[in-house]
Amino acid sequence: MDNFLAARSQMGMSLAFHIVFAVIGVSLPLMMTIAEWRWRSTGDPTYLLLAKRWAKGTTILFAVGAISGTVLSFELGLLWPRFMQYAGAVIGMPFSLEGFAFFTEAIFLGIYLYGWNRVPGWFHLFSGIIVSLSGLLSAIFVTLVNGWMNTPTGFDILDGKFQNIHPFAAMLNPAGIPEAVHMVLASYTAAGFATAGIHSWLLLRRGRNRFDEVAIGIALCVGGAAVLIQGVSGDALARMVAVKQPMKLASLEGQFKTEVGAPLSIGGLPFPDERVTKYAIKIPHGLSLLAFHTPNALIKGLDQEPSKDWPNVRMVHICFQIMVGCGSLLSLFALIAAWLSWKRGPLSKQKLFLKAAVLVSPLGFVALEAGWMVTELGRQPWIVYHLMRTRDAVTTMPNITITFLVMTFVYLVLGIIVVWLLSKHVIAPAEKKQLDGPGVLV
């Protein structure tokens, strides 16, 4: 494996690992705060127990997310030194704000964990809200940086260097906000459905119990609402990509030819050498309609750029189809869940539904990982779109393959430890004495 491929592999693996914990770190505090709010509203001790369990989960995942996030920060400088030298002054602002949000989250998470019965109830609930908002803002600030890499703005280039830098203009680049909204909703979707699936599985094993039932209810509300709004967010993001990154859109769809009234391709497999996508279901004018909201809009194909500047079209197209497919299935599942709950009563009584919830539970994370592969692979061969090639940014340090293998092993061990900790401290069955007096868990 050459150095360039090893550096890309290490960065991709670190992102894929970190994103799982970052996503749960955004979502779990929201569900934890909802559980506490429900306890304060109803007095039901099950909600209190759930809030405390999810607070423990948030702490575990926050710690692991902090470790993997720090590794990523080092890797940005160590694996891609020319990128940081070239763009560091422009993207420094959102990274600094992300640090502020991170420390705020850490402070209020400490208050939340150790403030039960030590601070006023309203302040404890407020601490949970701040933890939720801080996690949300961290995700937004980091995604704004990625948005800038896709649509760089907020500077002039003079003598090959960034000059006249406007940090806020750079931060509010065209891709930033649509990407951030899409990412946040994807976080709530992935964590919500995964949590609902885990507690559905536990409910099937343990039999009916209040603890798993309320967990499913909160998780499904968060995940279901997010995935239904995600369709609107996806539409806005796709329209931005059509205007600002037409070659990425062409790769997503396997659209090799510039065309008026371009069809939408569902499925299929691109063959870049033959410049055709085979075996796809074609919906006439569908791509033009989705990208520009008019059926006869012009869609730029990959023929507008030399093939050396194409991303891996086949991989991008497949990942995009996986992301859309998983999102569509989860949207359908959310609608069915709402209908069943309305027509047939509590979902926890319906075994077939619980089994289906277990089956669809990983799809949010599958869509999330596939979506980030679309974002990153679709921008290649550029690390900063049309300004700097990824190959030109990589370090000259030799033997990166060794660090790649070492980090893979570390992530594997860390993942096993996290799963063990969560099973012991978060999803373990509730005992009667815990429901009678949840204070023993603090």
Side-chain angles (χ1 to χ4, degrees), residues 73-417:
S73 301
F74 280 116
E75 286 180 346
L76 268 178
L78 294 173
L79 298 178
W80 314 101
R82 290 204 60 213
F83 166 69
M84 294 306 290
Q85 178 188 6
Y86 190 69
V90 187
I91 61 177
M93 177 66 79
F95 274 143
S96 301
L97 292 173
E98 194 272 339
F100 175 76
F102 174 80
F103 286 118
T104 304
E105 184 178 5
I107 291 167
F108 279 88
L109 181 57
I111 294 172
Y112 193 89
L113 273 178
Y114 296 102
W116 295 100
N117 302 323
R118 295 187 177 92
V119 298
W122 68 267
F123 187 74
H124 193 271
L125 185 61
F126 174 74
S127 299
I129 294 171
I130 295 298
V131 173
S132 306
L133 290 177
S134 301
L136 175 72
L137 287 174
S138 288
I140 289 174
F141 288 133
V142 170
T143 311
L144 290 178
V145 174
N146 185 269
W148 182 84
M149 293 165 71
N150 284 308
T151 55
T153 53
F155 57 84
D156 296 319
I157 293 183
L158 301 173
D159 300 326
K161 297 180 180 177
F162 285 113
Q163 304 286 342
N164 304 323
I165 295 169
H166 302 282
F168 285 102
M171 200 164 68
L172 299 176
N173 61 83
I177 297 298
E179 270 193 36
V181 172
H182 204 60
M183 176 61 195
V184 168
L185 290 170
S187 302
Y188 291 141
T189 299
F193 278 99
T195 305
I198 289 170
H199 283 280
S200 296
W201 177 68
L202 293 171
L203 194 64
L204 287 167
R205 287 188 61 196
R206 298 168 179 167
R208 287 200 66 191
N209 66 87
R210 181 81 178 137
F211 180 73
D212 289 323
E213 287 177 352
V214 298
I216 292 170
I218 293 174
L220 267 185
C221 285
V222 170
V227 77
L228 293 177
I229 302 171
Q230 189 68 298
V232 180
S233 163
D235 175 68
L237 187 56
R239 291 168 64 192
M240 182 283 298
V241 170
V243 175
K244 298 295 181 181
Q245 293 183 287
M247 292 306 103
K248 180 184 276 189
L249 179 72
S251 300
L252 300 179
E253 287 293 325
Q255 182 72 28
F256 291 92
K257 185 174 64 174
T258 299
E259 193 172 358
V260 172
L264 179 70
S265 297
I266 299 176
L269 198 61
F271 289 81
D273 292 341
E274 301 176 37
R275 302 196 170 204
V276 64
T277 296
K278 299 180 181 177
Y279 319 121
I281 299 171
K282 302 276 187 180
I283 300 178
H285 301 273
L287 183 55
S288 293
L289 188 61
L290 286 176
F292 293 99
H293 288 189
T294 173
N296 292 315
L298 176 70
I299 297 294
K300 292 182 180 177
L302 286 160
D303 58 4
Q304 296 290 307
E305 286 206 11
S307 58
K308 68 181 179 61
D309 287 343
W310 292 359
N312 185 328
V313 179
R314 181 174 292 179
M315 184 66 77
V316 173
H317 179 75
I318 291 172
C319 289
F320 181 67
Q321 298 293 317
I322 291 173
M323 180 189 72
V324 173
C326 291
S328 301
L329 281 173
L330 288 177
S331 297
L332 179 63
F333 185 82
L335 291 173
I336 291 173
W339 184 84
L340 285 174
S341 178
W342 175 45
K343 287 291 185 183
R344 299 186 181 178
L347 297 172
S348 55
K349 292 182 179 177
Q350 303 172 39
K351 286 193 174 181
L352 188 59
F353 171 83
L354 295 175
K355 290 177 181 175
V358 174
L359 285 177
V360 303
S361 62
L363 294 186
F365 279 100
V366 173
L368 187 82
E369 297 283 2
W372 272 107
M373 290 189 73
V374 169
T375 302
E376 292 303 294
L377 294 178
R379 194 186 59 245
Q380 302 303 318
W382 309 97
I383 191 168
V384 183
Y385 192 60
H386 279 176
L387 289 180
M388 177 180 247
R389 290 179 185 274
T390 308
R391 183 174 287 279
D392 295 334
V394 74
T395 180
T396 55
M397 184 185 80
N399 301 322
I400 296 179
T401 304
I402 295 174
T403 64
F404 170 53
L405 294 175
V406 170
M407 291 309 300
T408 302
F409 177 74
V410 170
Y411 286 141
L412 183 63
V413 172
L414 200 55
I416 293 171
I417 292 172

